[in-house]
Coordinates of all heavy atoms in Angstrom, one line a residue:
Chain B
V232 N 70.0 -39.5 15.2 CA 69.1 -40.6 15.4 C 68.9 -41.3 14.0 O 68.4 -40.6 13.1 CB 67.8 -40.2 16.0 CG1 66.8 -41.4 16.2 CG2 68.0 -39.4 17.3
V233 N 69.2 -42.6 13.9 CA 68.9 -43.3 12.7 C 67.8 -44.4 13.0 O 68.0 -45.1 14.0 CB 70.2 -44.0 12.2 CG1 69.9 -44.9 11.0 CG2 71.2 -42.9 11.7
V234 N 66.7 -44.3 12.3 CA 65.6 -45.3 12.5 C 65.3 -46.0 11.2 O 65.2 -45.4 10.1 CB 64.4 -44.5 12.9 CG1 63.2 -45.5 13.1 CG2 64.6 -43.7 14.2
D235 N 65.3 -47.3 11.2 CA 65.1 -48.1 10.0 C 66.0 -47.7 8.9 O 65.6 -47.6 7.7 CB 63.6 -48.0 9.6 CG 62.7 -48.8 10.5 OD1 63.2 -49.7 11.2 OD2 61.5 -48.5 10.5
G236 N 67.2 -47.4 9.2 CA 68.2 -47.0 8.2 C 68.0 -45.6 7.6 O 68.7 -45.3 6.6
R237 N 67.2 -44.8 8.2 CA 67.0 -43.4 7.8 C 67.4 -42.4 8.9 O 67.0 -42.6 10.0 CB 65.5 -43.2 7.4 CG 65.1 -43.9 6.2 CD 63.6 -44.0 6.1 NE 63.0 -42.7 6.2 CZ 62.2 -42.2 5.2 NH1 61.9 -42.9 4.2 NH2 61.7 -41.0 5.3
L238 N 68.1 -41.4 8.5 CA 68.4 -40.3 9.4 C 67.2 -39.5 9.7 O 66.5 -39.0 8.9 CB 69.5 -39.5 8.8 CG 70.0 -38.3 9.7 CD1 70.7 -38.8 10.9 CD2 70.9 -37.4 8.8
L239 N 67.0 -39.3 11.1 CA 65.8 -38.5 11.5 C 66.3 -37.0 11.6 O 67.1 -36.7 12.5 CB 65.4 -39.0 12.8 CG 64.1 -38.5 13.4 CD1 63.5 -39.6 14.4 CD2 64.3 -37.2 14.1
R240 N 65.9 -36.2 10.7 CA 66.5 -34.8 10.6 C 65.7 -33.8 11.5 O 66.2 -32.8 11.9 CB 66.5 -34.3 9.2 CG 67.5 -35.1 8.3 CD 67.6 -34.5 7.0 NE 68.7 -35.1 6.3 CZ 70.0 -34.8 6.4 NH1 70.4 -33.8 7.1 NH2 70.9 -35.4 5.7
G241 N 64.4 -34.1 11.8 CA 63.6 -33.1 12.5 C 63.0 -32.2 11.5 O 63.4 -32.0 10.3
T242 N 61.8 -31.6 11.9 CA 61.0 -30.7 11.1 C 61.9 -29.6 10.4 O 61.8 -29.3 9.2 CB 59.9 -30.0 11.9 OG1 59.1 -31.1 12.4 CG2 59.0 -29.2 11.0
R243 N 62.7 -28.9 11.2 CA 63.5 -27.8 10.7 C 64.9 -28.2 10.4 O 65.8 -27.4 10.0 CB 63.5 -26.7 11.7 CG 62.0 -26.2 11.9 CD 61.9 -25.4 13.2 NE 62.3 -26.2 14.3 CZ 62.3 -25.8 15.6 NH1 61.9 -24.5 15.9 NH2 62.6 -26.6 16.6
G244 N 65.3 -29.5 10.6 CA 66.6 -30.0 10.4 C 67.5 -29.9 11.7 O 68.7 -30.1 11.7
F245 N 66.8 -29.7 12.9 CA 67.6 -29.4 14.1 C 67.6 -30.6 15.1 O 67.9 -30.4 16.2 CB 67.0 -28.2 14.8 CG 67.0 -26.9 14.0 CD1 66.3 -25.8 14.4 CD2 67.8 -26.8 12.8 CE1 66.4 -24.6 13.7 CE2 67.8 -25.6 12.1 CZ 67.1 -24.5 12.5
A246 N 67.2 -31.8 14.6 CA 67.1 -32.9 15.6 C 68.5 -33.3 16.0 O 69.5 -32.9 15.3 CB 66.5 -34.1 14.9
G247 N 68.6 -34.0 17.1 CA 69.9 -34.5 17.6 C 70.7 -33.6 18.6 O 71.8 -33.9 18.9
E248 N 70.0 -32.6 19.1 CA 70.7 -31.7 20.1 C 70.7 -32.3 21.5 O 70.2 -31.8 22.5 CB 70.0 -30.3 20.1 CG 70.2 -29.5 18.8 CD 71.6 -29.0 18.8 OE1 72.0 -28.1 19.5 OE2 72.4 -29.5 17.9
L249 N 71.4 -33.5 21.6 CA 71.5 -34.2 22.8 C 72.2 -33.3 23.9 O 71.9 -33.4 25.1 CB 72.3 -35.5 22.6 CG 72.5 -36.4 23.8 CD1 71.2 -37.1 24.2 CD2 73.6 -37.4 23.6
G250 N 73.1 -32.5 23.4 CA 73.9 -31.6 24.3 C 73.0 -30.6 25.1 O 73.4 -30.1 26.2
H251 N 71.8 -30.5 24.6 CA 70.8 -29.5 25.3 C 69.6 -30.3 26.0 O 68.6 -29.6 26.2 CB 70.5 -28.4 24.4 CG 71.7 -27.6 24.0 ND1 72.4 -26.8 24.9 CD2 72.4 -27.6 22.9 CE1 73.4 -26.3 24.3 NE2 73.5 -26.8 23.1
V252 N 69.8 -31.5 26.2 CA 68.8 -32.3 27.0 C 69.1 -31.9 28.5 O 70.2 -32.0 28.9 CB 68.9 -33.8 26.8 CG1 68.2 -34.6 27.8 CG2 68.5 -34.2 25.4
P253 N 68.0 -31.5 29.2 CA 68.3 -31.1 30.6 C 68.7 -32.4 31.4 O 68.0 -33.4 31.3 CB 66.9 -30.6 31.1 CG 66.1 -30.4 29.9 CD 66.6 -31.3 28.8
V254 N 69.7 -32.3 32.2 CA 70.2 -33.4 33.0 C 70.0 -33.1 34.5 O 69.5 -34.0 35.2 CB 71.7 -33.7 32.7 CG1 72.3 -34.6 33.7 CG2 71.9 -34.3 31.3
H255 N 70.3 -31.9 34.9 CA 70.0 -31.4 36.3 C 69.3 -30.1 36.0 O 69.9 -29.1 35.9 CB 71.2 -31.3 37.1 CG 71.9 -32.6 37.4 ND1 71.5 -33.5 38.3 CD2 73.1 -33.1 36.9 CE1 72.3 -34.5 38.3 NE2 73.3 -34.3 37.4
P256 N 67.9 -30.1 36.0 CA 67.2 -28.9 35.6 C 67.5 -27.7 36.4 O 67.2 -26.6 35.9 CB 65.7 -29.3 35.7 CG 65.7 -30.7 36.2 CD 67.0 -31.3 36.3
E257 N 68.0 -27.8 37.6 CA 68.4 -26.6 38.4 C 69.8 -26.3 38.2 O 70.4 -25.4 39.0 CB 68.0 -26.8 39.8 CG 66.6 -27.3 40.1 CD 65.5 -26.6 39.4 OE1 65.7 -25.4 39.1 OE2 64.5 -27.2 39.0
G258 N 70.5 -26.9 37.3 CA 72.0 -26.8 37.2 C 72.4 -25.4 36.5 O 71.5 -24.6 36.3
P259 N 73.7 -25.3 36.2 CA 74.2 -24.0 35.6 C 73.5 -23.6 34.3 O 73.1 -24.5 33.5 CB 75.7 -24.3 35.4 CG 75.9 -25.8 35.6 CD 74.7 -26.3 36.3
P260 N 73.4 -22.3 34.1 CA 72.8 -21.8 32.9 C 73.6 -22.2 31.7 O 74.9 -22.4 31.8 CB 72.8 -20.3 33.0 CG 73.8 -20.0 34.1 CD 73.8 -21.2 35.0
C261 N 73.0 -22.4 30.5 CA 73.7 -22.8 29.3 C 73.5 -21.7 28.3 O 72.5 -21.0 28.3 CB 73.0 -24.1 28.8 SG 73.8 -24.8 27.4
A262 N 74.5 -21.7 27.3 CA 74.4 -20.7 26.3 C 73.2 -20.8 25.4 O 72.7 -19.8 24.8 CB 75.7 -20.8 25.4
C263 N 72.5 -21.9 25.4 CA 71.3 -22.1 24.6 C 70.1 -21.4 25.2 O 69.0 -21.3 24.6 CB 71.0 -23.6 24.5 SG 70.2 -24.4 26.0
G264 N 70.3 -20.9 26.5 CA 69.1 -20.3 27.1 C 68.5 -21.2 28.2 O 67.7 -20.7 29.0
G265 N 68.9 -22.4 28.1 CA 68.3 -23.4 29.1 C 69.2 -23.4 30.4 O 70.0 -22.5 30.6
Q266 N 69.1 -24.5 31.1 CA 69.7 -24.6 32.4 C 70.0 -26.1 32.6 O 69.1 -26.9 32.4 CB 68.8 -24.1 33.4 CG 69.4 -23.6 34.7 CD 68.3 -23.2 35.7 OE1 67.2 -22.8 35.3 NE2 68.6 -23.2 37.0
G267 N 71.2 -26.4 33.1 CA 71.5 -27.8 33.5 C 71.5 -28.7 32.3 O 71.3 -29.9 32.5
C268 N 71.8 -28.2 31.1 CA 71.9 -29.1 29.9 C 73.1 -30.0 30.0 O 74.1 -29.8 30.7 CB 72.1 -28.2 28.7 SG 70.8 -27.1 28.4
L269 N 73.0 -31.2 29.3 CA 74.1 -32.1 29.3 C 75.5 -31.5 29.0 O 76.5 -31.8 29.6 CB 73.9 -33.2 28.2 CG 75.0 -34.2 28.0 CD1 75.3 -35.0 29.3 CD2 74.6 -35.2 26.9
E270 N 75.5 -30.5 28.1 CA 76.8 -29.8 27.7 C 77.5 -29.2 28.9 O 78.7 -29.0 29.0 CB 76.5 -28.8 26.6 CG 77.6 -28.8 25.6 CD 77.1 -28.3 24.2 OE1 76.6 -29.0 23.4 OE2 77.3 -27.1 24.0
Q271 N 76.7 -28.8 29.9 CA 77.2 -28.2 31.1 C 77.9 -29.2 32.0 O 78.6 -28.8 33.0 CB 76.1 -27.5 32.0 CG 75.4 -26.3 31.2 CD 76.4 -25.3 30.8 OE1 77.3 -24.9 31.6 NE2 76.4 -24.9 29.6

Side-chain angles (χ1 to χ4, degrees):
Chain B
V232 179
V233 173
V234 178
D235 285 341
R237 290 163 58 121
L238 179 67
L239 190 156
R240 292 188 172 274
T242 300
R243 300 161 299 181
F245 301 168
E248 288 289 290
L249 183 72
H251 299 288
V252 167
V254 168
H255 295 286
E257 312 309 330
C261 181
C263 76
Q266 202 182 339
C268 300
L269 175 60
E270 221 158 273
Q271 297 304 315

